[in-house]
Amino acid sequence: MSADQKPLPFHFQFMAGAIAGISEILTMYPLDVVKTRAQLSTSGSTGIIQSLKEIVTKEGPATLYRGIAAPILVEAPKRATKFAANEQYTALYKKLFGLEKVNQPLAIATGVSAGVTEALIIVPFELVKIRMQDKANASKYNGTLDALRKILKQEGPLALYNGLEATVWRHAAWNGGYFGVIFGVKELMPKAKSKNEQLVNNFVAGTIGGTFGTMLNTPMDVVKTRIQGYTGNGPKKYNWTAPSIALVAKEEGFGALYRGFTAKVLRLGPGGGILLVVFETVSSFMRKNFM
């Protein structure tokens, strides 16, 4: 949102964020499956193309979308919360600190706040998705609802919130980096003279922001995946974020904290661009036709 634009009403923000999020997930989900498999592995990982080939050959193409129901169900409130909360926190902080325009520190602060809010919503859906994507659970869960039912029965309802702390750190880092960087990049780019140039600017800024956010939060994402992948068999190795990061680095080397990074960047870098372009396009449509 430009500094001089009026904020959209919350219900329009919610709708725009939902449309943007579902567009991104339908396009990029197979890369998320590859990323999760890489992060769960403690013995290294293969390249993206090789991983995709192995999944399709050995498990079938449908496996690339296994578990998609959980993120689809939460994608609307998740992405809508990301953007709507960012807009609401922007208005709140501008009033609180007496600012007339958005600056970069404010963009970072609102991004972090929106990320924490988002994390609180998505944890159970993330956990079910991780369990469905794990190759070890291929014969354990017949579908998303079956996975949810078995987790509740075998591990109890609180198990759905395993990894909450790591998820909060992951989203705070990504959102702070994403919203802070897209603000800075937009300030540096030439002013758009047409709608097409504006879309290009939004895509470039969103891609750079998504990539930077991914660089910041991948270690938290690795330990979150490991925490949520635990099904109750054997000792629980990973609990809290900082000790788990230290343990992974000690046992597997620092590089293990960035396992799945390339797939994550390829999803969340361009995915961030897709999010921003769709969100701002839908927002502009709503401003033009409903305000």
Side-chain angles (χ1 to χ4, degrees):
M1 183 185 73
S2 300
D4 58 349
Q5 281 184 327
K6 289 177 62 178
L8 280 172
F10 180 80
H11 59 287
F12 285 152
Q13 295 174 25
F14 191 95
M15 288 174 61
I19 292 169
I22 291 172
S23 299
E24 186 273 339
I25 195 171
L26 290 173
T27 306
M28 311 302 287
Y29 189 77
L31 287 173
D32 192 64
V33 174
V34 172
K35 180 214 72 169
T36 298
R37 297 281 184 97
Q39 291 180 340
L40 287 169
S41 172
T42 58
S43 59
S45 56
T46 58
I48 294 173
I49 301 300
Q50 184 62 30
S51 295
L52 290 170
K53 284 182 178 179
E54 288 184 3
I55 290 171
V56 171
T57 302
K58 298 179 180 179
E59 303 172 60
T63 306
L64 294 175
Y65 285 90
R66 180 173 165 81
I68 197 172
I72 283 287
L73 288 172
V74 79
E75 196 69 14
K78 170 186 172 181
R79 297 300 187 187
T81 299
K82 179 193 294 293
F83 287 102
N86 188 70
E87 300 247 357
Q88 295 298 318
Y89 281 123
T90 297
L92 173 65
Y93 290 158
K94 282 171 70 177
K95 183 177 180 180
L96 185 64
F97 297 110
L99 298 172
E100 293 184 3
K101 293 185 177 181
V102 177
N103 56 30
Q104 192 156 24
L106 180 63
I108 294 171
T110 56
V112 169
S113 299
V116 171
T117 305
E118 175 192 355
L120 297 174
I121 294 171
I122 70 164
V123 174
F125 298 88
E126 278 282 308
L127 185 137
V128 172
K129 182 200 76 169
I130 296 295
R131 298 291 183 86
M132 289 291 292
Q133 290 176 333
D134 188 354
K135 185 178 180 180
N137 296 329
S139 60
K140 185 173 183 177
Y141 305 126
N142 295 323
T144 299
L145 289 178
D146 182 57
L148 176 61
R149 181 180 62 81
K150 287 178 177 175
I151 291 167
L152 289 172
K153 182 178 179 181
Q154 297 169 6
E155 303 173 50
L158 290 180
L160 292 173
Y161 282 88
N162 286 346
L164 172 61
E165 181 245 4
T167 305
V168 167
W169 282 114
R170 183 186 77 158
H171 283 262
W174 196 87
N175 280 269
Y178 177 72
F179 285 108
V181 166
I182 63 174
F183 176 86
V185 171
K186 282 184 174 183
E187 290 292 303
L188 293 173
M189 294 181 75
K191 297 297 181 184
K193 298 177 181 178
S194 68
K195 184 177 179 180
N196 286 339
E197 287 184 7
Q198 186 63 54
L199 288 175
V200 170
N201 284 2
N202 287 342
F203 187 84
V204 171
T207 298
I208 294 172
T211 301
F212 183 74
T214 301
M215 291 171 65
L216 290 180
N217 86 340
T218 296
M220 298 103 163
D221 192 35
V222 169
V223 299
K224 181 202 80 74
T225 298
R226 303 244 181 131
I227 291 168
Q228 294 186 321
Y230 175 73
T231 59
N233 298 321
K236 192 173 184 179
K237 192 172 184 179
Y238 308 105
N239 290 285
W240 301 98
T241 304
S244 296
I245 288 174
L247 181 62
V248 172
K250 179 181 178 182
E251 292 187 346
E252 302 171 46
F254 181 80
L257 294 171
Y258 281 85
R259 201 161 277 158
F261 176 76
T262 304
K264 190 172 164 67
V265 165
L266 287 175
R267 182 193 177 186
L268 295 180
I274 292 169
L275 281 172
L276 193 61
V277 168
V278 176
F279 179 76
E280 297 215 359
T281 300
V282 175
S283 297
S284 296
F285 174 82
M286 290 176 174
R287 283 192 180 93
K288 181 178 179 181
N289 292 278
F290 301 105
M291 290 182 67

